[in-house]
Amino acid sequence: MNNDRLKKIKTENEIWIIYLIIIGLSYWSNYYEKDYFINNNTSSKNHYKTINTLIFTILVLIYTYFEKDALNSFLDKNKSTTIKTYDTLILIATTFVLISGIIFLYIILVDNNIDEEIAFN
């Protein structure tokens, strides 16, 4: 059990590093978004959209990892009723986070206008 938990912590630490990279990409994306709105530079609009597509693709992959982990924990039968309740709530929460990431990614892929702000929170 402890060895599995330590592996999960290592993976979560790696995900935190990816989140830091995503923050940098978001900052870079905002540079292009600002240039598009100020100078009407269509090249910047394309860069902005490409970077945001990359960001939300990575986020959906991360959210999928957490969804799988929550589902595995939920399906584990060797837990108390209280822990099963928490596992159910965590599964519901991770499912909604995954769905939101998929929705944001869909919007980025199909919306050719970037008038609406899309940001990960």
Side-chain angles (χ1 to χ4, degrees):
M1 174 66 177
N2 283 340
N3 202 18
D4 287 342
R5 184 64 191 135
L6 291 175
K7 286 180 185 178
K8 285 183 183 180
I9 291 171
K10 183 179 183 291
T11 301
E12 289 171 6
N13 285 339
E14 292 166 354
I15 290 171
W16 281 116
I17 292 169
I18 294 169
Y19 276 138
L20 291 173
I21 293 167
I22 287 171
I23 290 167
L25 287 171
S26 297
Y27 189 82
W28 190 29
S29 173
N30 281 347
Y31 166 81
Y32 286 115
E33 181 183 19
K34 180 180 168 186
D35 183 52
Y36 168 68
F37 283 116
I38 292 173
N39 301 314
N40 202 25
N41 183 343
T42 55
S43 175
S44 287
K45 177 182 176 180
N46 293 333
H47 287 317
Y48 164 81
K49 187 170 180 170
T50 300
I51 293 168
N52 277 348
T53 301
L54 175 64
I55 289 168
F56 280 95
T57 300
I58 294 168
L59 287 173
V60 166
L61 292 172
I62 290 170
Y63 299 159
T64 301
Y65 164 79
F66 285 117
E67 176 74 6
K68 181 180 177 267
D69 186 52
L71 183 60
N72 289 340
S73 187
F74 174 78
L75 294 175
D76 185 355
K77 302 290 183 195
N78 301 323
K79 295 186 176 180
S80 69
T81 304
T82 303
I83 299 296
K84 284 300 278 183
T85 301
Y86 294 146
D87 283 346
T88 302
L89 293 172
I90 290 169
L91 180 60
I92 291 168
T94 58
T95 300
F96 283 134
V97 169
L98 177 59
I99 290 169
S100 73
I102 291 168
I103 291 169
F104 282 132
L105 181 58
Y106 172 79
I107 291 168
I108 290 167
L109 291 173
V110 300
D111 183 18
N112 289 326
N113 300 317
I114 60 171
D115 296 332
E116 296 299 321
E117 177 66 23
I118 297 177
F120 78 99
N121 297 341

